[in-house]
Every structure is written in C-alpha cells, then in structure tokens.
Amino acid sequence: MSKPVTRMRAIVVRSALILAIILGASPLGGGGASAATQAPTFTRADYPFLGNTHIVGDFNGDGSLDLAGTGGSSAAVRLNDGAGAFGARVDYPVAGSGQDLVAGDFNGDGRLDLLVTINDPQIGLSLLTGNGNGTFNEPVNFPNTSGFDSPAIVAVDLNNDAKLDVVVAHEIACYTAPCVVALVITVMVGNGDGTFQPAREIEVGRGMTEIAVGDFNRDGRKDLVISGDNSRVYRLFGVGDGTFIQQPTLTLTEGENIGVDGTDIDVADFNGDTIQDLVVAIALNGSRTAILIGVGDGTFRPPLIITEPNISVPHQQAVADYNGDGFQDLALSLADGSFGLMEILNGNGDGTFQPPVLYLKPPAKSSIGGYTIVSANLNGDSRADIALGISGASPGLAVLINSTGVAPRSTPTAPTLISPAQDATPPQPVAFDWTDVSAATSYRIQIDDSSNFSTPLVVNQIVTASQLTAPTLAAKRHWWRVRGINSAGTAGAWSTVRRFTPQSAASTPALSAVSVNPTRVTGGTSSQGTVTLTSAAPVGGFAVSLLSSNTAAATVPASVSVAQGATSASFAILTSAVTTSTALTITANAGTVTRTATLTGDPPAQTATLTVTATGRSGERVTSNPAGINVIVGSSGSASFATGTSITLSATNGRDVVWSGACSSGGNKAKSCTFTLSGTATVTANVQ
C-alpha cells in the first residue's frame, strides 16, 4: 500500500524467523525477462500491536520515519530511533473508534498533524495537531456529514492552493437497522489553518475501500482512483478546484464478479515510461492482483491478472524496488499465512513480474495471516524496508529492514540464565533476566508448563533487551529457556532449561466505573469526577484515559492515574457558561473497558420576588418552605426564589389560614398552601 503518507493496518507478528521460498523461475504474465533476479532479504524486529490502521511520518522532525496508528479510541505513536527501531507506544485520545488516519500539515505550522476518521454517526474526523516533537494536542472534531463509516482517507492538494484537502471514502452505515450501503465520497477543501470548507458528498459507487491519488491524464491536476466491489475501479479526474469529472468505471475481471471485491489500490510505474500505472488487490474469491499499465491520457491497457499460486489471498500491497535492480517490485501481504505471511514479486521493468518469493512462514496452526503492508526507508540506508501487519491469534508489529547485499551475520551463542534461579518461587509478575550475547539483536524467550515446551507455549515471545517481565502465570511449576537471534533472523542455540514455581498472582485491576458529583452544575462552576477500579492499582499505578463529548461545555484532563494500592482517583471537570441546559458524556477508557457518566450544565437560575402579607390572629407568623418568608401577623415581608421553585406557606402553631392571591384556598381554611413561583407574586394570609 503506497500513498502520499503510507498506511498500515493491524500489525501482528511473533516470530523472528525469515523464510524465503522461491516458487519458480518463469515470469508471471509473460512477455518479460526470463532470467530470475536476486530475491531481497530482510532482518526482522517485533513490537506489540499498534492499531488497526497505520501510517509513517516524521512526527518529531529528526529525519526518520515514525509510526502512527488507530488503537481503539486513540491514535498511537511509536518514534523511530533513526536506525529503524521504535520506542514505546504513546496514545492520544480521539472522539471515538478510529478507522483510518493520514498525516499532513493541516494548519500550516510546518509540523505533521494526524487526521483520524471516526466510525460514528455524528463525528466524522478528529484532528490532532502536532507539536513537532512527536507529541500531539487534544483533538478538534468535525461532523460526519455523510452519515456513513469512513474506511479510507487521503490528504492531497486538490485545488493547487498549497493547502491540504481531504477525501474520505464511505462503505456502509449500520448505526441503526437496517444497514445502508454508501455510494458517496466526502471532499473537504482545506483552509490551511486546521479548518475546512463545508464538506461535499459526491456520488461514486458501491463498496469503496481504498483511495489512490495521481495525475493519470497528465493535465497537472490531481485525479482519484478508488477500489470498489465486484472487481471495479472508479476513476475521477480532477478539475483543479476540488471537484471531479467521473470517468467510466473499469471492471478488472470477466464473467461473474460478485464478491470479487477490491481491497487495495496503488499508483506505480512498472514499465519505466514515466506514465502512472495501477496495481489493484482483488484478492477475495480468487486471490488475484491486477496490473493496469497507463497510456497517459487517463486510460489503461487491459489488466494483467496475477493469481497467487497457493490462493493465499494477497489483499494488500506495497510497491518499491526491494532488490535494487532499478525496477519496481510488488510486496503482497497474504491473509492466509499458511505458506508465508508475505511474498515479493520482482519486477521485470516491462509491467510483468518474476514468480513470487514467500517470506515469514509461521509455525503450523498459528492462525495468523498478513494484513496491511507498507514500504518506507526506515533506517536511512536508501533501501526499501517493510512494515508488515499480521492479523489473527497473535497481533503485533513486525518491521523488516532490507538487508539485500549485506554480508551474513554471525550466529549468536547460547545465553546464560540469571533469574529466576532453579526451583525459585518468585512473586508475580515474574521478571526474567539473562546475559547479553554477541551477534544477538533480539532474543526469543519461551516459558511453558511442560519441560518439553509443547505447543501451545505459555509464553513464546521475541524481545530486544535481555530481560522480560512475564504476564500473569498460573501458580504451578514452569520451565524457561532463551536463544539469541541475529540481525538476519538466524537463531542461535538454546540456553539451559530452568524450572520455577511462581507465587499466586494478585487480581488484575480493571476499570469499574466513572462517576461525577454533582451530576448537575451551573455552567462556569466545576464538578468532580471519580474513576473506580475493580481492585487495587499495581506498582506504577493504573492509567485511565478521559474524554469529554463536548469540550466547549466541559473539559477534563487527558488521563488520570490511580495510585499504587488505591482503587479510585478523582479529577476536575471544568465547565463553561451555557445558555441552555446541556447534557454531555464523560468517557473513561482503560484497555478494552470503557465507562461513561453524564454531567448536565445549566444556565444561571432566574429569580422572582414573593411578597406575603399576614393578617388575622395576632402573635402568629407565616413562614415558607424553602425558607425565605417569615412574616408576623400585621406586617408584610418579601423574599427572592429561583423561578420554578415549589413553595409551601403555613402559619405557626398549625393555625388555619384563608389564603388569597398567587396561592389561594378559594375562601376556605387550609393549614398550608403550595404553588410554583413563575414570576413576581403576592399572597395574603388571613390567620384564623
């Protein structure tokens, strides 16, 4: 997948093994060079799951490409150390469940921002403006004018005013039954200050999943191509003012096309004629990839259809010259990872390709497959690297650094285990430590409840440091071992095996509730929120992300931390003045758990004056509930109350009273009189 800012979807990998299997020697599609070319090689590093959609961009201005993705209701960022290794994940909350994101300078300050599409009927986009140091500000949200989901977004200058515009593709809306299929894209022309002109919906077609940008008719204006359902590609030629002229739809395969849906589309130059070509993933129901060679007037030659030999569903692609021969190659992620999670087809330079080479074959019954794939120079050596997403049972992030032409690395020696010691009974979480070994760039640690380490293992993880803190283990005997892995992915000998028995683990806390007190305040005053856990927070505390659904009416901190050993923590909710009663939602999120509470802000109360005149039996008084009126017989008194207040008047000593005026007993005796004050009022009380 190659876009103005390259994207990746859910990235998931566990193993460090690189396995390349050359499947043949003749070019795919015919007409190309017959000699096989060098297959690229890679070294691999693994990271925890980052999100369902990923992009690369230099977010801290150090010249190295960083990673960003949508992780639930946040955008997650990992910064590059310059050598292609990535730091800790940092989350920045957005307005809801993110679907896709794009990076660009939307407010003209020279720093990369993040724009996230939100799967919500009301809010369509969250803009996180960048600070230039790898951090981002709180989101600015934009409405969902289409009413549909938003699986794809691109940022591009459509009207040549040097300001980024946005195009969002829509597929379906299932917010209420029945679901409605989308036919439109949304175009938002940028103002260059982080705002946009009113959104416009343009009808295009069904099943839109990905967008690519180019100038296919070479008129100097940006055009769009969009992958659709039933083997279709939609083409929109730009007019240069943010509008388009739709061209006849391309159908890539003949015959029955139902279910042959496009899952990716990219722009390339496969035959070196400087005219833009297309590659389209039509992996569903056929495992095919379509190559369309551009003519230069906006049309394309009939598609070359490449069928994956193992029917492994190549549903995403990344285009680059991976083996350094000057021709553009295809890297395909394979949704069925049984034979490999990725394959590369070396280009012949004429629009045809060599047979595929498979990479990253997982262990049997792993239940994982390749997902989104992106190509970028991640370590600054001018070679095309890959960030590969793998979906399924073991989500994570694999970064493949191109090592084509690099001399083989030494095989690591066996590490020496340090702790836990043989037959130790450590508390949980258990910390594992071992010696560093030369030539190792990462280590595989295995922990199991059987001494022969039978599948499935309790822990089977790759780490870059010579230590690991394990997740909660069962309180029974376990065994552990470690081996080193070099930068080429070659594993060394296993260490000796040690056994240990972890102590019983304390219960893992989770977010239980979020509450506000008071639940109703006058706008401009504050309320207090409280997050509560199911059990005491662990060492280091327990972080909870916070979000206000209406930041104009009330703001909350980005997060609150429950201190170690505590079960709750409070935070301030600052409200603004309102003209009408405004209900808003305070959302707390921790891991997969989300809790909400409602706070209502009211305008300042209006008041009115009540005047009571008491006559009749001397020595008695007339009083009110709520307090305010206290009038002795033979006099009058006044008090102010909020309009809408229910007021009860009565005489001392339980005397009967004949009430008249705003509160009347109709000439009869009554011990009390109750009415609602709606404005200035007078009451006469004749105490009997």
Side-chain angles (χ1 to χ4, degrees), residues 574-599:
L574 304 179
T575 68
S576 302
V578 293
T579 57
T580 60
S581 291
T582 303
L584 55 93
T585 300
I586 304 299
T587 300
N589 177 268
T592 61
V593 179
T594 298
R595 297 289 185 264
T596 60
T598 300
L599 174 66

Side-chain angles (χ1 to χ4, degrees), residues 366-391:
S366 297
S367 299
I368 57 176
Y371 196 30
T372 302
I373 187 170
V374 61
S375 175
N377 181 11
L378 298 176
N379 63 346
D381 65 355
S382 77
R383 296 185 182 96
D385 308 313
I386 289 175
L388 175 66
I390 299 169
S391 60

